[in-house]
Amino acid sequence: MVTVDKRHISALMLIEAYAEKHKAEEKLGLFKKKYNMELHELEKRIRTSAEEDFDAFDDYMEWKAYKNHLAATNAKIKELRSENIQLA
């Protein structure tokens, strides 16, 4: 039988969460650089534009998803750092 300490699992999960955070932040930076604006500015541009820009809309949706993913990942990191985990 293998015995695993809860702290070791927590540490591994924290490392994975930080990797996810880094990936999301990197992707958000690429979108910000590509459009030279913030997400809410792109949303406003899409809403007020007379012509549809499907590529910009697709990027907007992906950008928004990564922003939401980053928020969820930050919450997960906060939980893991407080060692508030439960093993099943």
Side-chain angles (χ1 to χ4, degrees), residues 21-71:
K21 177 180 175 156
H22 176 73
K23 186 170 90 172
E25 287 174 337
E26 190 173 77
K27 193 68 172 177
L28 291 171
L30 291 173
F31 282 123
K32 188 174 179 179
K33 184 176 180 181
K34 178 178 180 178
Y35 288 96
N36 196 30
M37 61 180 68
E38 297 291 332
L39 176 62
H40 69 276
E41 294 170 305
L42 179 60
E43 180 180 20
K44 184 177 179 182
R45 188 183 93 184
I46 289 170
R47 290 183 188 273
T48 59
S49 178
E51 294 183 24
E52 292 182 353
D53 184 345
F54 294 109
D55 289 332
F57 183 76
D58 288 346
D59 283 346
Y60 164 75
M61 294 301 291
E62 188 175 357
W63 192 348
K64 189 173 181 177
Y66 272 107
K67 188 172 182 174
N68 291 337
H69 179 66
L70 179 60

Side-chain angles (χ1 to χ4, degrees), residues 6-21:
K6 182 177 175 180
R7 287 176 295 160
H8 291 125
I9 293 173
S10 178
L12 290 173
M13 291 175 71
L14 192 56
I15 290 168
E16 182 180 351
Y18 274 116
E20 283 295 315
K21 177 180 175 156

